[in-house]
Structures are given as C-alpha cells and as structure tokens.
Amino acid sequence: MARVLLIDDDVELVEMLKEYLEQDGFTVHAAHDGQQGLVAALTGHFDIAVLDVMMPKVDGVDTLRRLRRDSQMPVLMLTAKGDDMDRILGLELGADDYVPKPCTPRELSARLRAILRRARPAQEDSDAPSHLVAGPLEMWPEQRRAQWSGTPVELTSTEFNLLEVLLRNAGKTVSKNELSEKALGRPLARFDRNVDVHMSSLRQKLGVLPDGRSCIQTVHRQGYLLLKA
C-alpha cells in the first residue's frame, strides 16, 4: 500500500482527495503548509509527495527546493491551470510530474500510480541486460543506480526513467512521445515541455564527452538521442 504525503493548504480539497485516494488503496497523510510538509517528507515515511505550489509560510516551489537538498523521493506538483512558469520551475527543481488544478481525484490517482510504478525497480525479462553502458555512462536499472565516469549521479525517478529509455536505445533517436509514455506513463500532451525540461536537467547532471559535447543530443522535430560513446 503506497504511502502518500499530500501537502496543500486547501482543507476541503485535501479531505476530498484524501478520501478518494484511501478508497483507491493509498495510505494518505496531509500537511497544510510547506513547513509541515517538508518536515514530514524528510522523515522517510512516505513513498511520494503531492505538493501544491501556492501555500502559506513556505510555498511549494521553495518546499521542493529544500526537499531536493536531502531527498530524491518522487514529487507530483499541483499547479494553477495555465501557469507554465510554475510548472517549468517545478520540473527544473526536480518534480517528477505535475497536474494542473482543478484536477479530478481519479486523474491524480492515475498519475501517482504511474510515477510510483516507474520509481520502483523494474522486473526485466531474463534476456534484458542488468548493466547498461554507453561511454562513461553506466546504469544498473534493477538497483536504480547510475554513474558517470565512476561517480554516482543523483537522479529523480523520472530522470532515471528517461535516461534508462535513452540508454536502452543508445545510438537511436527516441521520440518525445515514446519517452513520455515509457518514463511518465502518459502520452505527450500538446505544448507539454515536461520531457524537454527533464532532458535539460539530465544534461546538467551528466558530464561531457571528451570532445565537449553532451551525450544527449536533440534531434530536430524527432526527439532525443544518447550517443554511444
């Protein structure tokens, strides 16, 4: 039973979401401001956090920024509908995905399950390699571990999923829609910049190749490609 930390100052909304999620098989704990939510998140007692952007005391963006200093737990942001700046900033700070408000409990539940499913070690086929390598990049999918030139790379669950898809297809272009479906668990929506923002973050976290290039290349109007070496 997945443990969800719901951080939002809208008490009525929280109660509605909490009731639905509990009926849908989750264990839910609520916090009504960023400071309380941050303390609860850092206990390590939860599998995922749902974090509202607009809150008193400490807002969602600052809460996420502080959380990412010490934790890589999956985070789903609740953002104002149409507010692209909050969404992009949240993703840049390490949020795994976002849901615009108002959202239905059913949609929230589906997004949570998609993130959690991909945050856990995958049960790969026996023929699938358990150790992936492309140049200085190495990955152990079952251990959810990656390193660059022998140095561990700290990745969010979504960043790990995206990088794994690229690494399994090293040398081939992978479309944004395929990346979204395999890493986020949903088709790419129109004007959705989620994949692009995560790719930018991955480039910053990974080192560069001997020739100075990033190992992740953008293929115009097609998608992304991970160089083999």
Side-chain angles (χ1 to χ4, degrees):
M1 187 177 292
R3 301 160 298 176
V4 177
L5 175 60
L6 187 54
I7 310 171
D8 194 314
D9 64 317
D10 188 333
V11 177
E12 291 185 5
L13 176 63
V14 166
E15 286 303 313
M16 179 188 70
L17 294 176
K18 184 174 184 291
E19 180 179 357
Y20 182 92
L21 292 175
E22 288 177 340
Q23 291 177 355
D24 205 26
F26 294 95
T27 296
V28 183
H29 175 79
H32 297 295
D33 65 62
Q35 186 61 47
Q36 291 180 7
L38 181 62
V39 171
L42 291 175
T43 63
H45 294 163
F46 301 97
D47 299 303
I48 190 168
V50 178
L51 181 59
D52 184 32
V53 171
M54 298 298 295
M55 289 187 297
K57 297 183 180 179
V58 182
D59 66 22
V61 170
D62 200 27
T63 300
L64 178 61
R65 182 182 289 110
R66 298 184 191 183
L67 177 62
R68 280 292 174 255
R69 294 173 186 168
D70 302 297
S71 173
Q72 293 298 321
M73 75 179 295
V75 174
L76 178 68
M77 298 289 286
L78 295 178
T79 65
K81 190 171 184 179
D83 197 336
D84 291 335
M85 290 303 298
D86 281 343
R87 296 178 190 178
I88 293 173
L89 182 55
L91 293 172
E92 288 176 341
L93 291 173
D96 291 273
D97 203 355
Y98 62 83
V99 174
K101 296 172 73 172
C103 67
T104 65
R106 183 177 182 180
E107 179 185 10
L108 180 61
S109 178
R111 291 287 186 92
L112 289 172
R113 292 189 186 283
I115 294 173
L116 288 168
R117 185 166 58 249
R118 286 157 179 78
R120 296 181 179 122
Q123 299 298 319
E124 299 291 346
D125 296 334
S126 58
D127 294 335
S130 58
H131 178 213
L132 305 173
V133 182
L137 176 63
E138 295 182 83
M139 177 177 282
W140 292 263
E142 292 182 0
Q143 302 174 30
R144 305 289 290 179
R145 184 165 64 90
Q147 65 181 35
W148 180 272
S149 296
T151 301
V153 182
E154 293 294 329
L155 303 172
T156 67
S157 61
T158 297
E159 289 169 351
F160 190 96
N161 297 334
L162 286 166
L163 189 57
E164 181 182 354
V165 174
L166 289 176
L167 192 48
R168 289 189 183 278
N169 294 276
K172 302 177 183 177
T173 300
V174 184
S175 70
K176 291 183 184 180
N177 191 62
E178 182 178 352
L179 287 165
S180 184
E181 288 184 338
K182 290 185 175 180
L184 278 71
R186 60 180 174 83
L188 188 72
R190 191 180 183 188
F191 305 123
D192 190 344
R193 293 191 58 195
N194 205 329
V195 171
D196 298 317
V197 176
H198 284 305
M199 286 299 172
S200 176
S201 178
L202 280 171
R203 284 179 172 133
Q204 294 177 30
K205 291 184 177 184
L206 300 175
V208 295
L209 298 172
D211 60 7
R213 291 182 299 166
S214 167
C215 65
I216 299 175
Q217 296 291 303
T218 301
V219 182
H220 185 56
R221 294 186 177 179
Q222 294 186 48
Y224 291 92
L225 178 149
L226 180 73
L227 298 175
K228 285 187 175 182

